[in-house]
Amino acid sequence: MNNELRELYQQVILDHNKSPRNYKKLETATNSSEGKNPLCGDHIHLYVKMNNDVVEDISFEGNGCAISKSSASLMTSIVKGKTKAEAEQLFEKFHDLVTGKISEDEDLTDLGKLAVFQGVREFPVRVKCASLAWHTLHSALKDENKIVTTE
Ligand code: ZN
């Protein structure tokens, strides 16, 4: 990771950890799910309000490390207003990014600030923290009634 990216990565994570976006319980949720990353102790509840095929509103609550919290904050910001298929596509791309399956030359503009999470690929344990919110979203969109765990 170059210095510029490292700095941006730290800024984004600190900012979203300190003031997470969409951090509340969503009373009007149509779908919800719960995710756990026992390795780190991250735990989130995700609330989604679907309108036909569109994520009309989304929020989360939980406890965890700065990476899991900032990732959930950014994830909820980016998938709001997206269709289910678009959200799943972003999940795949994000997963490829943090697991190092995407080259650094690839166009990451659709991921917005989430692109800084390519920084976690240097820390395999952190990949689970970064992707917890996304696995939980995947489950919520499928409306499964189970707890997602990264283990
Ligand atoms: Zn964590």
Side-chain angles (χ1 to χ4, degrees), residues 123-134:
F123 312 99
V125 176
R126 293 306 198 180
V127 170
K128 289 181 176 176
C129 302
S131 47
L132 177 65
W134 290 90

Side-chain angles (χ1 to χ4, degrees), residues 3-19:
N3 284 339
E4 198 183 335
L5 177 65
R6 194 184 303 270
E7 214 164 277
L8 192 63
Y9 170 72
Q10 283 166 352
Q11 269 174 19
V12 168
I13 287 177
L14 284 176
D15 171 31
H16 282 262
N17 182 49
K18 205 170 93 185
S19 38

